[in-house]
mmCIF file of all heavy atoms in Angstrom:
data_model
loop_
_atom_site.group_PDB
_atom_site.id
_atom_site.type_symbol
_atom_site.label_atom_id
_atom_site.label_comp_id
_atom_site.label_asym_id
_atom_site.label_seq_id
_atom_site.Cartn_x
_atom_site.Cartn_y
_atom_site.Cartn_z
ATOM 1 N N GLU A 30 9.354 0.525 25.841
ATOM 2 C CA GLU A 30 8.740 1.135 24.657
ATOM 3 C C GLU A 30 9.170 0.421 23.379
ATOM 4 O O GLU A 30 8.352 0.022 22.562
ATOM 5 C CB GLU A 30 9.181 2.601 24.598
ATOM 6 C CG GLU A 30 8.360 3.442 23.675
ATOM 7 C CD GLU A 30 6.946 3.608 24.165
ATOM 8 O OE1 GLU A 30 6.759 3.911 25.369
ATOM 9 O OE2 GLU A 30 6.025 3.426 23.362
ATOM 10 N N LEU A 48 10.335 -2.814 8.355
ATOM 11 C CA LEU A 48 10.544 -1.510 8.953
ATOM 12 C C LEU A 48 11.978 -1.421 9.399
ATOM 13 O O LEU A 48 12.480 -2.300 10.064
ATOM 14 C CB LEU A 48 9.607 -1.328 10.132
ATOM 15 C CG LEU A 48 9.564 0.076 10.712
ATOM 16 C CD1 LEU A 48 8.980 1.047 9.711
ATOM 17 C CD2 LEU A 48 8.743 0.071 11.976
ATOM 18 N N GLN A 49 12.635 -0.368 9.051
ATOM 19 C CA GLN A 49 14.005 -0.204 9.483
ATOM 20 C C GLN A 49 14.035 0.064 10.977
ATOM 21 O O GLN A 49 13.182 0.768 11.509
ATOM 22 C CB GLN A 49 14.605 1.000 8.757
ATOM 23 C CG GLN A 49 14.744 0.761 7.267
ATOM 24 C CD GLN A 49 16.185 0.608 6.899
ATOM 25 O OE1 GLN A 49 16.996 1.407 7.288
ATOM 26 N NE2 GLN A 49 16.497 -0.423 6.146
ATOM 27 N N ALA A 50 15.066 -0.450 11.591
ATOM 28 C CA ALA A 50 15.215 -0.211 13.023
ATOM 29 C C ALA A 50 15.243 1.288 13.304
ATOM 30 O O ALA A 50 14.760 1.748 14.340
ATOM 31 C CB ALA A 50 16.493 -0.872 13.521
ATOM 32 N N LEU A 59 9.964 9.826 19.877
ATOM 33 C CA LEU A 59 8.805 10.700 19.980
ATOM 34 C C LEU A 59 7.981 10.398 21.216
ATOM 35 O O LEU A 59 7.341 11.282 21.768
ATOM 36 C CB LEU A 59 7.920 10.540 18.738
ATOM 37 C CG LEU A 59 8.455 11.224 17.482
ATOM 38 C CD1 LEU A 59 7.596 10.848 16.285
ATOM 39 C CD2 LEU A 59 8.456 12.718 17.661
ATOM 40 N N ILE A 95 13.810 -19.397 11.119
ATOM 41 C CA ILE A 95 13.052 -18.336 10.450
ATOM 42 C C ILE A 95 11.829 -18.952 9.815
ATOM 43 O O ILE A 95 11.881 -19.983 9.188
ATOM 44 C CB ILE A 95 13.896 -17.692 9.330
ATOM 45 C CG1 ILE A 95 15.078 -16.974 9.920
ATOM 46 C CG2 ILE A 95 13.066 -16.762 8.499
ATOM 47 C CD1 ILE A 95 14.724 -15.640 10.492
ATOM 48 N N GLY A 100 3.725 -19.352 -0.041
ATOM 49 C CA GLY A 100 3.386 -18.823 -1.367
ATOM 50 C C GLY A 100 4.444 -18.005 -2.047
ATOM 51 O O GLY A 100 4.185 -17.352 -3.011
ATOM 52 N N ARG A 101 5.633 -18.005 -1.541
ATOM 53 C CA ARG A 101 6.639 -17.252 -2.280
ATOM 54 C C ARG A 101 7.924 -18.047 -2.240
ATOM 55 O O ARG A 101 8.480 -18.273 -1.193
ATOM 56 C CB ARG A 101 6.839 -15.893 -1.612
ATOM 57 C CG ARG A 101 6.924 -14.816 -2.669
ATOM 58 C CD ARG A 101 7.114 -13.458 -2.151
ATOM 59 N NE ARG A 101 8.126 -13.313 -1.152
ATOM 60 C CZ ARG A 101 8.313 -12.181 -0.507
ATOM 61 N NH1 ARG A 101 7.531 -11.158 -0.759
ATOM 62 N NH2 ARG A 101 9.241 -12.060 0.399
ATOM 63 N N ALA A 102 8.377 -18.469 -3.378
ATOM 64 C CA ALA A 102 9.605 -19.277 -3.375
ATOM 65 C C ALA A 102 10.808 -18.379 -3.203
ATOM 66 O O ALA A 102 10.777 -17.204 -3.510
ATOM 67 C CB ALA A 102 9.705 -20.033 -4.696
ATOM 68 N N GLU A 104 14.361 -16.864 -4.066
ATOM 69 C CA GLU A 104 15.240 -16.713 -5.224
ATOM 70 C C GLU A 104 16.578 -17.346 -4.889
ATOM 71 O O GLU A 104 17.044 -17.242 -3.768
ATOM 72 C CB GLU A 104 15.479 -15.225 -5.499
ATOM 73 C CG GLU A 104 14.208 -14.438 -5.727
ATOM 74 C CD GLU A 104 13.666 -14.638 -7.115
ATOM 75 O OE1 GLU A 104 14.402 -14.373 -8.072
ATOM 76 O OE2 GLU A 104 12.521 -15.081 -7.241
ATOM 77 N N PRO A 105 17.224 -17.983 -5.871
ATOM 78 C CA PRO A 105 18.565 -18.486 -5.583
ATOM 79 C C PRO A 105 19.493 -17.313 -5.319
ATOM 80 O O PRO A 105 19.330 -16.246 -5.905
ATOM 81 C CB PRO A 105 18.953 -19.231 -6.865
ATOM 82 C CG PRO A 105 17.894 -18.969 -7.848
ATOM 83 C CD PRO A 105 16.748 -18.280 -7.199
ATOM 84 N N LEU A 106 20.421 -17.510 -4.439
ATOM 85 C CA LEU A 106 21.269 -16.410 -4.018
ATOM 86 C C LEU A 106 22.545 -16.362 -4.825
ATOM 87 O O LEU A 106 23.095 -17.379 -5.194
ATOM 88 C CB LEU A 106 21.651 -16.574 -2.563
ATOM 89 C CG LEU A 106 20.499 -16.475 -1.597
ATOM 90 C CD1 LEU A 106 20.963 -16.934 -0.259
ATOM 91 C CD2 LEU A 106 19.990 -15.066 -1.540
ATOM 92 N N ASP A 107 23.033 -15.182 -5.018
ATOM 93 C CA ASP A 107 24.324 -15.073 -5.679
ATOM 94 C C ASP A 107 25.449 -15.036 -4.673
ATOM 95 O O ASP A 107 26.443 -15.715 -4.810
ATOM 96 C CB ASP A 107 24.359 -13.794 -6.524
ATOM 97 C CG ASP A 107 23.553 -13.967 -7.779
ATOM 98 O OD1 ASP A 107 23.403 -15.114 -8.229
ATOM 99 O OD2 ASP A 107 23.062 -12.973 -8.295
ATOM 100 N N ASP A 113 23.887 -13.517 4.489
ATOM 101 C CA ASP A 113 23.974 -14.116 5.813
ATOM 102 C C ASP A 113 23.709 -13.137 6.926
ATOM 103 O O ASP A 113 23.093 -13.452 7.918
ATOM 104 C CB ASP A 113 25.403 -14.633 6.041
ATOM 105 C CG ASP A 113 25.466 -16.116 5.788
ATOM 106 O OD1 ASP A 113 24.401 -16.672 5.481
ATOM 107 O OD2 ASP A 113 26.544 -16.679 5.895
ATOM 108 N N ALA A 114 24.208 -11.955 6.800
ATOM 109 C CA ALA A 114 24.210 -11.056 7.948
ATOM 110 C C ALA A 114 22.845 -10.465 8.255
ATOM 111 O O ALA A 114 22.641 -9.882 9.284
ATOM 112 C CB ALA A 114 25.202 -9.934 7.723
ATOM 113 N N TYR A 115 21.917 -10.615 7.355
ATOM 114 C CA TYR A 115 20.642 -9.930 7.552
ATOM 115 C C TYR A 115 19.611 -10.793 8.244
ATOM 116 O O TYR A 115 18.987 -11.651 7.649
ATOM 117 C CB TYR A 115 20.074 -9.497 6.201
ATOM 118 C CG TYR A 115 20.884 -8.413 5.552
ATOM 119 C CD1 TYR A 115 21.012 -8.342 4.180
ATOM 120 C CD2 TYR A 115 21.504 -7.453 6.314
ATOM 121 C CE1 TYR A 115 21.743 -7.341 3.579
ATOM 122 C CE2 TYR A 115 22.235 -6.452 5.714
ATOM 123 C CZ TYR A 115 22.352 -6.391 4.353
ATOM 124 O OH TYR A 115 23.054 -5.404 3.783
ATOM 125 N N GLU A 117 19.004 -13.340 9.643
ATOM 126 C CA GLU A 117 18.860 -14.793 9.650
ATOM 127 C C GLU A 117 19.070 -15.272 11.059
ATOM 128 O O GLU A 117 19.981 -14.854 11.740
ATOM 129 C CB GLU A 117 19.926 -15.353 8.706
ATOM 130 C CG GLU A 117 19.725 -16.793 8.391
ATOM 131 C CD GLU A 117 21.013 -17.573 8.561
ATOM 132 O OE1 GLU A 117 21.310 -17.946 9.689
ATOM 133 O OE2 GLU A 117 21.684 -17.780 7.553
ATOM 134 N N ARG A 134 38.136 -7.080 22.195
ATOM 135 C CA ARG A 134 39.336 -6.663 21.480
ATOM 136 C C ARG A 134 39.399 -5.158 21.311
ATOM 137 O O ARG A 134 40.455 -4.552 21.418
ATOM 138 C CB ARG A 134 39.259 -7.245 20.068
ATOM 139 C CG ARG A 134 40.411 -7.943 19.537
ATOM 140 C CD ARG A 134 39.926 -8.432 18.173
ATOM 141 N NE ARG A 134 40.559 -7.663 17.137
ATOM 142 C CZ ARG A 134 41.499 -8.171 16.369
ATOM 143 N NH1 ARG A 134 41.879 -9.409 16.573
ATOM 144 N NH2 ARG A 134 42.030 -7.446 15.419
ATOM 145 N N ARG A 145 25.403 1.775 14.517
ATOM 146 C CA ARG A 145 25.029 1.867 13.101
ATOM 147 C C ARG A 145 23.996 0.802 12.724
ATOM 148 O O ARG A 145 22.978 1.085 12.096
ATOM 149 C CB ARG A 145 26.283 1.691 12.250
ATOM 150 C CG ARG A 145 26.005 1.790 10.769
ATOM 151 C CD ARG A 145 27.264 1.445 10.002
ATOM 152 N NE ARG A 145 26.965 1.064 8.654
ATOM 153 C CZ ARG A 145 27.039 1.871 7.605
ATOM 154 N NH1 ARG A 145 27.396 3.122 7.779
ATOM 155 N NH2 ARG A 145 26.754 1.443 6.404
ATOM 156 N N PHE A 146 24.276 -0.412 13.127
ATOM 157 C CA PHE A 146 23.447 -1.524 12.682
ATOM 158 C C PHE A 146 22.094 -1.561 13.389
ATOM 159 O O PHE A 146 21.071 -1.835 12.755
ATOM 160 C CB PHE A 146 24.222 -2.827 12.942
ATOM 161 C CG PHE A 146 23.581 -4.051 12.379
ATOM 162 C CD1 PHE A 146 23.445 -4.226 11.011
ATOM 163 C CD2 PHE A 146 23.116 -5.070 13.210
ATOM 164 C CE1 PHE A 146 22.866 -5.372 10.483
ATOM 165 C CE2 PHE A 146 22.536 -6.208 12.683
ATOM 166 C CZ PHE A 146 22.419 -6.359 11.321
ATOM 167 N N ARG A 164 36.669 10.938 11.219
ATOM 168 C CA ARG A 164 37.487 10.065 10.385
ATOM 169 C C ARG A 164 37.863 8.782 11.124
ATOM 170 O O ARG A 164 37.924 7.703 10.539
ATOM 171 C CB ARG A 164 38.739 10.817 9.946
ATOM 172 C CG ARG A 164 39.267 10.203 8.684
ATOM 173 C CD ARG A 164 40.197 11.068 7.900
ATOM 174 N NE ARG A 164 41.171 10.165 7.270
ATOM 175 C CZ ARG A 164 42.418 10.045 7.657
ATOM 176 N NH1 ARG A 164 42.876 10.773 8.645
ATOM 177 N NH2 ARG A 164 43.238 9.196 7.059
ATOM 178 N N ARG A 168 37.083 4.972 9.764
ATOM 179 C CA ARG A 168 38.076 3.922 9.592
ATOM 180 C C ARG A 168 37.826 2.772 10.556
ATOM 181 O O ARG A 168 37.958 1.602 10.194
ATOM 182 C CB ARG A 168 39.476 4.487 9.802
ATOM 183 C CG ARG A 168 39.902 5.432 8.677
ATOM 184 C CD ARG A 168 41.311 5.915 8.854
ATOM 185 N NE ARG A 168 41.480 6.593 10.130
ATOM 186 C CZ ARG A 168 42.654 6.740 10.719
ATOM 187 N NH1 ARG A 168 43.754 6.265 10.166
ATOM 188 N NH2 ARG A 168 42.741 7.374 11.871
ATOM 189 N N ARG A 171 35.227 0.428 9.344
ATOM 190 C CA ARG A 171 35.685 -0.521 8.326
ATOM 191 C C ARG A 171 36.468 -1.651 8.976
ATOM 192 O O ARG A 171 36.350 -2.817 8.577
ATOM 193 C CB ARG A 171 36.541 0.193 7.284
ATOM 194 C CG ARG A 171 35.693 1.040 6.347
ATOM 195 C CD ARG A 171 36.505 1.860 5.409
ATOM 196 N NE ARG A 171 37.059 1.070 4.327
ATOM 197 C CZ ARG A 171 37.679 1.625 3.284
ATOM 198 N NH1 ARG A 171 37.809 2.929 3.213
ATOM 199 N NH2 ARG A 171 38.178 0.867 2.335
ATOM 200 N N LEU A 172 37.243 -1.325 9.970
ATOM 201 C CA LEU A 172 37.953 -2.367 10.692
ATOM 202 C C LEU A 172 36.953 -3.318 11.348
ATOM 203 O O LEU A 172 37.077 -4.544 11.254
ATOM 204 C CB LEU A 172 38.848 -1.734 11.770
ATOM 205 C CG LEU A 172 39.479 -2.719 12.756
ATOM 206 C CD1 LEU A 172 40.438 -3.656 12.032
ATOM 207 C CD2 LEU A 172 40.216 -1.975 13.868
ATOM 208 N N ALA A 175 35.218 -5.493 8.694
ATOM 209 C CA ALA A 175 36.078 -6.546 8.148
ATOM 210 C C ALA A 175 36.296 -7.643 9.180
ATOM 211 O O ALA A 175 36.266 -8.842 8.865
ATOM 212 C CB ALA A 175 37.404 -5.942 7.712
ATOM 213 N N ARG A 179 34.997 -11.596 8.925
ATOM 214 C CA ARG A 179 35.841 -12.782 9.035
ATOM 215 C C ARG A 179 35.358 -13.697 10.160
ATOM 216 O O ARG A 179 35.330 -14.918 10.000
ATOM 217 C CB ARG A 179 37.290 -12.373 9.292
ATOM 218 C CG ARG A 179 37.932 -11.714 8.085
ATOM 219 C CD ARG A 179 39.394 -11.494 8.309
ATOM 220 N NE ARG A 179 40.113 -12.762 8.263
ATOM 221 C CZ ARG A 179 41.279 -12.968 8.876
ATOM 222 N NH1 ARG A 179 41.821 -12.031 9.605
ATOM 223 N NH2 ARG A 179 41.883 -14.133 8.765
ATOM 224 N N ASP B 8 45.207 -4.301 14.162
ATOM 225 C CA ASP B 8 44.184 -3.281 14.019
ATOM 226 C C ASP B 8 44.797 -1.938 13.665
ATOM 227 O O ASP B 8 44.312 -1.212 12.793
ATOM 228 C CB ASP B 8 43.388 -3.144 15.333
ATOM 229 C CG ASP B 8 42.446 -4.327 15.544
ATOM 230 O OD1 ASP B 8 42.372 -5.191 14.638
ATOM 231 O OD2 ASP B 8 41.784 -4.389 16.593
ATOM 232 N N PHE B 11 45.942 -1.868 10.123
ATOM 233 C CA PHE B 11 44.770 -1.806 9.242
ATOM 234 C C PHE B 11 44.256 -0.372 9.152
ATOM 235 O O PHE B 11 43.980 0.159 8.075
ATOM 236 C CB PHE B 11 43.664 -2.734 9.768
ATOM 237 C CG PHE B 11 42.380 -2.658 8.964
ATOM 238 C CD1 PHE B 11 42.143 -3.535 7.922
ATOM 239 C CD2 PHE B 11 41.400 -1.692 9.242
ATOM 240 C CE1 PHE B 11 40.956 -3.467 7.180
ATOM 241 C CE2 PHE B 11 40.222 -1.624 8.506
ATOM 242 C CZ PHE B 11 40.003 -2.510 7.470
ATOM 243 N N LEU B 12 44.102 0.250 10.312
ATOM 244 C CA LEU B 12 43.561 1.614 10.319
ATOM 245 C C LEU B 12 44.448 2.575 9.532
ATOM 246 O O LEU B 12 43.963 3.495 8.877
ATOM 247 C CB LEU B 12 43.415 2.111 11.763
ATOM 248 C CG LEU B 12 42.271 1.465 12.550
ATOM 249 C CD1 LEU B 12 42.319 1.876 14.019
ATOM 250 C CD2 LEU B 12 40.929 1.838 11.943
ATOM 251 N N VAL B 15 43.868 1.451 5.586
ATOM 252 C CA VAL B 15 42.581 1.207 4.943
ATOM 253 C C VAL B 15 42.165 2.293 3.949
ATOM 254 O O VAL B 15 41.484 2.018 2.970
ATOM 255 C CB VAL B 15 41.466 0.988 5.996
ATOM 256 C CG1 VAL B 15 41.156 2.304 6.736
ATOM 257 C CG2 VAL B 15 40.212 0.446 5.370
ATOM 258 N N GLU B 16 42.593 3.529 4.194
ATOM 259 C CA GLU B 16 42.144 4.562 3.270
ATOM 260 C C GLU B 16 43.169 4.895 2.203
ATOM 261 O O GLU B 16 42.994 5.845 1.443
ATOM 262 C CB GLU B 16 41.744 5.830 4.055
ATOM 263 C CG GLU B 16 40.406 5.626 4.763
ATOM 264 C CD GLU B 16 40.043 6.790 5.665
ATOM 265 O OE1 GLU B 16 40.943 7.620 5.939
ATOM 266 O OE2 GLU B 16 38.879 6.871 6.099
ATOM 267 N N GLU B 39 47.739 -11.283 8.274
ATOM 268 C CA GLU B 39 46.490 -10.935 8.979
ATOM 269 C C GLU B 39 45.884 -9.650 8.436
ATOM 270 O O GLU B 39 44.689 -9.564 8.169
ATOM 271 C CB GLU B 39 46.774 -10.717 10.470
ATOM 272 C CG GLU B 39 46.995 -11.986 11.250
ATOM 273 C CD GLU B 39 45.706 -12.732 11.493
ATOM 274 O OE1 GLU B 39 44.638 -12.070 11.551
ATOM 275 O OE2 GLU B 39 45.739 -13.952 11.584
ATOM 276 N N LEU B 43 42.352 -8.992 6.457
ATOM 277 C CA LEU B 43 41.336 -8.006 6.866
ATOM 278 C C LEU B 43 41.035 -7.041 5.730
ATOM 279 O O LEU B 43 39.885 -6.674 5.480
ATOM 280 C CB LEU B 43 41.824 -7.211 8.074
ATOM 281 C CG LEU B 43 41.497 -7.796 9.446
ATOM 282 C CD1 LEU B 43 42.077 -6.921 10.536
ATOM 283 C CD2 LEU B 43 40.000 -7.925 9.639
ATOM 284 N N ASP B 47 37.525 -6.334 3.945
ATOM 285 C CA ASP B 47 36.977 -4.986 3.806
ATOM 286 C C ASP B 47 36.508 -4.743 2.380
ATOM 287 O O ASP B 47 35.472 -4.124 2.133
ATOM 288 C CB ASP B 47 38.054 -3.954 4.200
ATOM 289 C CG ASP B 47 37.641 -2.548 3.870
ATOM 290 O OD1 ASP B 47 36.720 -2.036 4.523
ATOM 291 O OD2 ASP B 47 38.217 -1.963 2.924
ATOM 292 N N GLY B 52 28.443 -3.092 1.986
ATOM 293 C CA GLY B 52 27.018 -3.395 2.131
ATOM 294 C C GLY B 52 26.701 -4.253 3.341
ATOM 295 O O GLY B 52 25.547 -4.362 3.762
ATOM 296 N N PHE B 53 27.705 -4.859 3.904
ATOM 297 C CA PHE B 53 27.541 -5.631 5.124
ATOM 298 C C PHE B 53 27.275 -4.660 6.280
ATOM 299 O O PHE B 53 27.837 -3.591 6.327
ATOM 300 C CB PHE B 53 28.848 -6.408 5.347
ATOM 301 C CG PHE B 53 28.853 -7.314 6.528
ATOM 302 C CD1 PHE B 53 27.777 -8.157 6.786
ATOM 303 C CD2 PHE B 53 29.944 -7.377 7.356
ATOM 304 C CE1 PHE B 53 27.806 -9.024 7.862
ATOM 305 C CE2 PHE B 53 29.974 -8.243 8.441
ATOM 306 C CZ PHE B 53 28.909 -9.066 8.691
ATOM 307 N N LEU B 54 26.409 -5.055 7.196
ATOM 308 C CA LEU B 54 26.113 -4.228 8.357
ATOM 309 C C LEU B 54 25.407 -2.916 8.013
ATOM 310 O O LEU B 54 25.595 -1.898 8.674
ATOM 311 C CB LEU B 54 27.374 -3.912 9.170
ATOM 312 C CG LEU B 54 27.992 -5.123 9.859
ATOM 313 C CD1 LEU B 54 29.190 -4.700 10.667
ATOM 314 C CD2 LEU B 54 26.978 -5.810 10.757
ATOM 315 N N GLU B 55 24.582 -2.945 6.997
ATOM 316 C CA GLU B 55 23.653 -1.843 6.823
ATOM 317 C C GLU B 55 22.638 -1.936 7.969
ATOM 318 O O GLU B 55 22.409 -3.017 8.483
ATOM 319 C CB GLU B 55 22.908 -1.986 5.499
ATOM 320 C CG GLU B 55 23.805 -1.700 4.294
ATOM 321 C CD GLU B 55 24.384 -0.310 4.368
ATOM 322 O OE1 GLU B 55 23.611 0.666 4.377
ATOM 323 O OE2 GLU B 55 25.617 -0.191 4.447
ATOM 324 N N PRO B 56 22.021 -0.826 8.358
ATOM 325 C CA PRO B 56 21.091 -0.872 9.489
ATOM 326 C C PRO B 56 20.050 -1.975 9.316
ATOM 327 O O PRO B 56 19.519 -2.176 8.238
ATOM 328 C CB PRO B 56 20.430 0.506 9.454
ATOM 329 C CG PRO B 56 21.464 1.379 8.867
ATOM 330 C CD PRO B 56 22.209 0.539 7.880
ATOM 331 N N VAL B 57 19.757 -2.650 10.391
ATOM 332 C CA VAL B 57 18.986 -3.878 10.305
ATOM 333 C C VAL B 57 17.518 -3.601 10.048
ATOM 334 O O VAL B 57 16.955 -2.594 10.483
ATOM 335 C CB VAL B 57 19.161 -4.677 11.621
ATOM 336 C CG1 VAL B 57 18.419 -3.988 12.761
ATOM 337 C CG2 VAL B 57 18.707 -6.100 11.446
ATOM 338 N N ASP B 58 16.892 -4.489 9.315
ATOM 339 C CA ASP B 58 15.450 -4.437 9.121
ATOM 340 C C ASP B 58 14.799 -5.345 10.145
ATOM 341 O O ASP B 58 15.204 -6.484 10.317
ATOM 342 C CB ASP B 58 15.073 -4.966 7.730
ATOM 343 C CG ASP B 58 15.423 -3.962 6.662
ATOM 344 O OD1 ASP B 58 15.663 -2.797 6.998
ATOM 345 O OD2 ASP B 58 15.459 -4.355 5.493
ATOM 346 N N VAL B 59 13.780 -4.846 10.759
ATOM 347 C CA VAL B 59 13.053 -5.670 11.719
ATOM 348 C C VAL B 59 11.932 -6.378 10.991
ATOM 349 O O VAL B 59 11.246 -5.790 10.188
ATOM 350 C CB VAL B 59 12.446 -4.791 12.830
ATOM 351 C CG1 VAL B 59 11.667 -5.629 13.800
ATOM 352 C CG2 VAL B 59 13.537 -4.026 13.523
ATOM 353 N N ALA B 62 11.279 -11.236 6.190
ATOM 354 C CA ALA B 62 10.529 -12.436 5.828
ATOM 355 C C ALA B 62 11.477 -13.610 5.542
ATOM 356 O O ALA B 62 11.837 -14.349 6.405
ATOM 357 C CB ALA B 62 9.674 -12.137 4.622
ATOM 358 N N ASP B 63 11.880 -13.714 4.276
ATOM 359 C CA ASP B 63 12.750 -14.852 3.937
ATOM 360 C C ASP B 63 14.175 -14.627 4.343
ATOM 361 O O ASP B 63 14.677 -13.530 4.288
ATOM 362 C CB ASP B 63 12.825 -15.007 2.421
ATOM 363 C CG ASP B 63 11.568 -15.541 1.870
ATOM 364 O OD1 ASP B 63 10.673 -14.712 1.732
ATOM 365 O OD2 ASP B 63 11.489 -16.723 1.614
ATOM 366 N N PRO B 65 17.998 -17.063 4.003
ATOM 367 C CA PRO B 65 18.539 -18.407 3.788
ATOM 368 C C PRO B 65 18.925 -19.023 5.115
ATOM 369 O O PRO B 65 19.147 -18.320 6.082
ATOM 370 C CB PRO B 65 19.783 -18.158 2.937
ATOM 371 C CG PRO B 65 20.221 -16.805 3.373
ATOM 372 C CD PRO B 65 18.980 -16.029 3.682
ATOM 373 N N ARG B 67 21.709 -21.416 6.677
ATOM 374 C CA ARG B 67 22.928 -22.166 6.424
ATOM 375 C C ARG B 67 22.728 -23.548 7.015
ATOM 376 O O ARG B 67 22.164 -23.720 8.070
ATOM 377 C CB ARG B 67 24.105 -21.486 7.098
ATOM 378 C CG ARG B 67 25.398 -22.259 6.867
ATOM 379 C CD ARG B 67 26.466 -21.756 7.763
ATOM 380 N NE ARG B 67 26.921 -20.462 7.324
ATOM 381 C CZ ARG B 67 27.581 -19.634 8.119
ATOM 382 N NH1 ARG B 67 27.801 -19.947 9.365
ATOM 383 N NH2 ARG B 67 27.984 -18.480 7.667
ATOM 384 N N ILE B 84 22.216 -22.649 -2.461
ATOM 385 C CA ILE B 84 21.814 -21.640 -3.441
ATOM 386 C C ILE B 84 20.307 -21.481 -3.555
ATOM 387 O O ILE B 84 19.819 -20.593 -4.225
ATOM 388 C CB ILE B 84 22.404 -21.897 -4.850
ATOM 389 C CG1 ILE B 84 22.078 -23.318 -5.329
ATOM 390 C CG2 ILE B 84 23.887 -21.655 -4.847
ATOM 391 C CD1 ILE B 84 22.570 -23.561 -6.755
ATOM 392 N N SER B 208 9.689 -18.336 -10.385
ATOM 393 C CA SER B 208 10.887 -18.867 -9.730
ATOM 394 C C SER B 208 11.225 -20.269 -10.204
ATOM 395 O O SER B 208 12.283 -20.790 -9.884
ATOM 396 C CB SER B 208 10.704 -18.859 -8.218
ATOM 397 O OG SER B 208 9.524 -19.543 -7.882
ATOM 398 N N THR B 248 2.077 -23.002 -5.349
ATOM 399 C CA THR B 248 1.924 -21.707 -4.707
ATOM 400 C C THR B 248 0.558 -21.129 -5.018
ATOM 401 O O THR B 248 0.139 -21.075 -6.162
ATOM 402 C CB THR B 248 2.996 -20.765 -5.253
ATOM 403 O OG1 THR B 248 4.208 -21.466 -5.306
ATOM 404 C CG2 THR B 248 3.102 -19.562 -4.387
ATOM 405 N N ARG B 964 -1.710 2.695 27.318
ATOM 406 C CA ARG B 964 -1.183 4.020 27.617
ATOM 407 C C ARG B 964 -2.325 4.911 28.100
ATOM 408 O O ARG B 964 -3.453 4.788 27.670
ATOM 409 C CB ARG B 964 -0.548 4.650 26.373
ATOM 410 C CG ARG B 964 0.648 3.921 25.832
ATOM 411 C CD ARG B 964 1.737 3.692 26.862
ATOM 412 N NE ARG B 964 2.285 4.934 27.409
ATOM 413 C CZ ARG B 964 3.271 5.628 26.835
ATOM 414 N NH1 ARG B 964 3.783 5.234 25.702
ATOM 415 N NH2 ARG B 964 3.723 6.727 27.397
ATOM 416 N N ASP B 1005 2.094 12.996 16.059
ATOM 417 C CA ASP B 1005 3.496 12.608 16.110
ATOM 418 C C ASP B 1005 3.933 12.294 17.511
ATOM 419 O O ASP B 1005 4.918 11.606 17.721
ATOM 420 C CB ASP B 1005 4.378 13.743 15.574
ATOM 421 C CG ASP B 1005 4.085 14.018 14.121
ATOM 422 O OD1 ASP B 1005 3.701 13.069 13.414
ATOM 423 O OD2 ASP B 1005 4.225 15.181 13.702
ATOM 424 N N THR B 1006 3.223 12.828 18.462
ATOM 425 C CA THR B 1006 3.491 12.479 19.851
ATOM 426 C C THR B 1006 2.176 12.618 20.611
ATOM 427 O O THR B 1006 1.115 12.787 20.004
ATOM 428 C CB THR B 1006 4.636 13.335 20.440
ATOM 429 O OG1 THR B 1006 4.901 12.887 21.760
ATOM 430 C CG2 THR B 1006 4.276 14.801 20.470
#
Side-chain angles (χ1 to χ4, degrees):
Chain A
E30 196 67 47
L48 189 66
Q49 293 251 311
L59 284 173
I95 294 281
R101 223 180 47 187
E104 303 281 303
L106 294 168
D107 285 334
D113 261 358
Y115 292 147
E117 192 228 83
R134 229 177 108 108
R145 181 187 160 98
F146 188 65
R164 204 161 147 253
R168 290 183 302 158
R171 286 174 76 171
L172 170 64
R179 290 188 72 205
Chain B
D8 287 356
F11 176 93
L12 287 172
V15 70
E16 286 174 346
E39 285 285 332
L43 271 178
D47 171 69
F53 183 46
L54 293 182
E55 288 302 299
V57 72
D58 286 344
V59 179
D63 287 80
R67 179 192 287 161
I84 54 176
S208 54
T248 316
R964 297 306 299 274
D1005 297 330
T1006 184

